[in-house]
């Protein structure tokens, strides 16, 4: 009699091993990608610390803990989370007005909010973000990343410009020789060696701020644990949670499209919350997904697994604590060149091609442009996504409202007129519906055929009630036919209960 207990071979076949454990090429790609991302994170984390008004070490610790934690608990493999400008802008007033302890408490509470929102299924709202907003989001992001590099190219010594050009040439040509080593890493290494060996005086990473020399120490925020403290930080924490989730989920969706894979947005929402709680307990300023470094990891370096995300954080801390003096000598021109290449790779050039624009509906173009303008004007991706989505909804409502049509056919005997209504009946089409009938000229019996229509809301029911009322005032009867199941239910529930105006 065969045993019902699975054999060791069966167990081993059922276990899922990470691809980087079985394929050395994948391991190499993930390791090198993590190193490139770590180098690119350093100056940005320092810059975001300045925005938040905290020591550079706070931003660097946040980038380390966010990357490492989301690598384990996040939903989107290969996505990079770290300190970000959007989060820094939200929490800067807390630090300025109430102190660093309240900032840390805000980060922890924001993480709690993100876990709750994730558990409630807020990630499912991403399905309502249309393509035009996604394209605008991507293009605006590329523009913002480029604009962030402009200060590094103004008022600097002239050698910065040839170094930038050399870095760009290296990243374009080196992949034609080999793709074993990421071109950005080669560019950073070569330009660093050249500037150090030749003694070229240009801005370096060390000029952005002092790198930490020790590991972060866990602890609770130094604030009174009272209701007043909660009331003070709650609005900022909620704003941080919403901004962080929106940017993270939009970035996850973008990576899904780039890699032709799917990820759990609910798990990503909860993972972002856990990462912010861990970051706060370790004295970091919090963060969310960083799309620029994510593009370096996924599109430029070709990473696809959680290992690259984990190593980006691990390398970041190692580079700062152990190799700080070496990292401080990396020229900013090298990192700017990497980010410029990221901008070019991220921007959807096809979306602005004349051939595409000629074929694209005007409403879709407007949604994309409005999203880009709002993001660039506010430097807040969340604002652009919200405004762009609302614009897309308005365009959609206007377009669908025009699809509702009413046609009339009078019976040969002249005693009955049949109105056939087609399309979607909702708030945007209800006014036109009321004005589509000849109340004075129609015969005594009116049939409204809705078999080719759908009643969506109370506005439509109120409009149908108004039509019946107008005919009744003239002594004429109305019969509504052809309602489908959902339409019949909403009409039966609300008809006669809503106030209709003549």
């Amino acid at each position: 009699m065969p045993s019902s207990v699975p054999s060791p071979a069966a167990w081993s076949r059922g276990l899922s091993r990470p691809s980087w454990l079985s394929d050395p090429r994948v391991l190499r790609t993930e390791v090198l990608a993590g190193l490139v991302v770590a180098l690119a994170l350093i100056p940005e984390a320092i810059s975001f610390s300045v925005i938040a008004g905290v020591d550079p070490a706070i931003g660097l610790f946040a980038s380390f803990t966010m990357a490492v934690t989301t690598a384990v608990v996040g939903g989107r493999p290969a996505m990079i989370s770290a300190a970000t400008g959007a989060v820094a802008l939200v929490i800067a007033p807390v630090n300025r007005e109430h102190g660093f302890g309240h900032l840390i408490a805000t980060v922890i509470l924001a993480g709690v909010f993100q876990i709750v929102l994730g558990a409630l299924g807020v990630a499912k709202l991403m399905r309502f973000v249309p393509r035009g907003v996604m394209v605008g989001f991507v293009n605006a992001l590329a523009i913002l990343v480029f604009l962030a590099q402009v200060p590094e190219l103004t008022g600097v010594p002239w050698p910065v410009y040839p170094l930038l050009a050399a870095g760009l040439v290296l990243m374009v040509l080196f992949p034609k020789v080999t793709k074993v080593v990421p071109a950005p890493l080669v560019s950073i290494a070569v330009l660093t060696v050249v500037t150090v060996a030749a003694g070229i005086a240009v801005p370096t990473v060390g000029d952005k701020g002092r790198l930490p020399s020790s590991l972060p120490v866990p602890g609770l925020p130094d604030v009174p644990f009272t209701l007043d403290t909660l009331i003070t930080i709650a609005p900022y924490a909620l704003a941080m949670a919403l901004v962080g989730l929106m940017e993270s989920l939009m970035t996850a969706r973008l990576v899904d499209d780039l890699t032709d894979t799917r990820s759990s947005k609910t798990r990503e929402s909860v993972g972002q919350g856990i990462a912010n709680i861990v970051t706060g307990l370790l004295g970091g300023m919090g963060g969310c997904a960083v799309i620029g470094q994510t593009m370096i990891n996924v599109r430029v370096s070709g990473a696809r697994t959680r290992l690259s995300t984990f190593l980006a954080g691990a390398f970041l801390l190692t580079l700062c604590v152990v190799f700080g003096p070496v990292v401080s000598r990396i020229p900013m021109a090298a990192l700017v060149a990497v980010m410029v290449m990221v901008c070019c790779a991220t921007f959807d050039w096809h979306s602005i091609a004349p051939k595409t624009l000629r074929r694209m509906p005007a409403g879709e173009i407007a949604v994309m442009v409005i999203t880009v303008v709002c993001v660039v004007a506010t430097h807040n991706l969340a604002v652009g996504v919200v405004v762009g989505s609302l614009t897309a909804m308005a365009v959609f409502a206007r377009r669908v409202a025009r699809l509702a049509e009413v046609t009339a056919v009078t019976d040969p005997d002249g005693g009955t007129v049949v109105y056939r209504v087609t399309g979607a009946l909702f708030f945007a089409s209800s006014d036109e519906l009321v004005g589509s009938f000849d109340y004075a000229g129609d015969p005594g019996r009116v049939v409204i055929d809705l078999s080719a229509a759908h009643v969506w809301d109370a506005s439509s029911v109120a409009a149908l009630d108004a039509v019946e009322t107008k005919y009744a005032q003239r002594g004429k009867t109305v019969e509504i036919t052809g309602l489908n199941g959902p339409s019949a239910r909403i009409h039966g529930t609300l008809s006669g209960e809503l106030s209709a105006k003549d």
Side-chain angles (χ1 to χ4, degrees):
M1 184 176 180
S3 173
S4 60
V5 178
S7 66
W11 278 113
S12 64
R13 286 194 301 268
L15 293 175
S16 176
R17 298 183 65 197
S19 57
W20 49 268
L21 276 179
S22 55
D23 190 340
R25 292 173 299 179
V26 174
L27 177 62
R28 180 182 62 238
T29 298
E30 299 296 312
V31 171
L32 295 177
L35 180 57
V36 174
V37 171
L39 291 170
L41 278 173
I42 293 174
E44 288 209 351
I46 295 175
S47 299
F48 298 149
S49 299
V50 174
I51 293 174
V54 298
D55 188 87
I58 306 303
L60 292 166
F61 287 155
S63 295
F64 157 67
T65 54
M66 289 295 299
V68 169
T69 307
T70 54
V72 179
V73 300
R76 176 63 255 180
M79 189 169 78
I80 304 298
S81 293
T84 62
V87 168
L89 288 171
V90 172
I91 62 175
V94 183
N95 184 59
R96 184 172 58 252
E97 298 171 13
H98 304 285
F100 182 67
H102 281 74
L103 182 149
I104 296 301
T106 300
V107 172
I108 295 173
L109 183 58
V112 174
F113 282 151
Q114 288 178 329
I115 293 175
V116 173
L117 291 171
L120 292 176
V122 70
K124 295 179 181 178
L125 296 177
M126 286 296 105
R127 72 180 69 178
F128 297 107
V129 178
R131 181 184 178 279
V133 175
M134 276 298 299
V135 174
F137 170 81
V138 171
N139 290 346
L141 172 70
I143 294 171
L144 283 185
V145 173
F146 179 80
L147 291 177
Q149 312 312 311
V150 173
E152 306 298 338
L153 301 174
T154 55
V156 294
W158 69 265
V160 167
Y161 303 108
L163 286 173
L164 173 67
L168 293 173
V169 170
L170 272 172
M171 283 184 285
V172 171
L173 298 181
F174 189 78
K176 300 181 184 299
V177 179
T178 178
K179 294 183 179 180
V180 173
V181 181
L185 183 58
V186 175
S187 177
I188 293 171
V190 169
L191 294 187
T192 302
V193 170
V194 168
T195 54
V196 172
I200 302 174
V202 292
T204 64
V205 170
D207 296 330
K208 303 292 290 184
R210 183 175 58 85
L211 300 181
S213 57
S214 60
L215 299 176
V217 179
L220 294 175
D222 184 17
V223 295
F225 290 87
T226 62
L227 181 60
D228 288 341
T229 300
L230 180 62
I231 293 174
T232 299
I233 66 174
Y236 299 103
L238 182 59
M240 175 183 164
L242 293 174
V243 168
L245 278 186
M246 186 169 294
E247 293 204 21
S248 298
L249 295 176
M250 290 290 288
T251 304
R253 180 172 166 181
L254 175 60
V255 177
D256 286 353
D257 293 339
L258 287 175
T259 60
D260 197 24
T261 59
R262 291 294 170 261
S263 60
S264 171
K265 304 304 182 296
T266 297
R267 177 176 172 180
E268 184 59 46
S269 301
V270 174
Q272 289 288 329
I274 295 172
N276 273 305
I277 292 174
V278 172
T279 299
L281 293 175
L282 287 172
M285 58 180 275
C288 61
V290 190
I291 195 163
Q293 275 67 25
T294 297
M295 290 299 101
I296 293 176
N297 197 45
V298 175
R299 173 165 278 180
V300 178
S301 301
R304 292 293 184 269
T305 77
R306 299 178 184 276
L307 180 63
S308 58
T309 306
F310 179 87
L311 290 178
F315 282 146
L316 172 64
L317 190 63
T318 304
L319 289 171
C320 293
V321 175
V322 181
F323 300 102
V326 177
V327 174
S328 296
R329 305 188 72 174
I330 295 176
M332 284 302 300
L335 298 177
V336 170
V338 173
M339 298 311 295
V340 170
M341 286 297 294
V342 170
C343 297
C344 294
T346 301
F347 196 91
D348 187 351
W349 299 100
H350 177 72
S351 66
I352 61 171
K355 183 178 179 180
T356 303
L357 295 176
R358 283 194 299 268
R359 295 182 177 181
M360 191 73 66
E364 295 286 331
I365 297 175
V367 169
M368 179 182 70
V369 172
I370 288 172
T371 302
V372 171
V373 171
C374 288
V375 171
V376 174
T378 63
H379 282 229
N380 191 324
L381 294 168
V383 170
V385 171
V386 171
V387 174
S389 297
L390 292 176
T391 303
M393 291 177 186
V395 170
F396 174 76
R398 184 169 181 269
R399 185 181 304 161
V400 174
R402 291 182 174 181
L403 297 179
E405 296 182 354
V406 180
T407 56
V409 177
T410 304
D411 281 357
D413 61 5
T416 302
V417 61
V418 178
Y419 283 93
R420 181 174 175 81
V421 182
T422 60
L425 302 182
F426 65 114
F427 63 88
S429 57
S430 57
D431 287 342
E432 292 186 10
L433 177 67
V434 176
S436 299
F437 298 87
D438 184 5
Y439 301 103
D442 284 341
R445 182 171 181 268
V446 178
V447 177
I448 302 177
D449 180 10
L450 298 178
S451 58
H454 188 96
V455 177
W456 284 104
D457 59 7
S459 297
S460 304
V461 177
L464 292 172
D465 284 353
V467 171
E468 292 187 81
T469 300
K470 288 178 181 293
Y471 277 116
Q473 290 171 344
R474 294 168 174 81
K476 302 175 183 181
T477 61
V478 175
E479 180 185 356
I480 297 177
T481 64
L483 287 167
N484 58 33
S487 299
R489 282 192 292 273
I490 190 172
H491 184 266
T493 301
L494 298 178
S495 182
E497 302 296 328
L498 305 169
S499 61
K501 297 180 180 179
D502 293 339

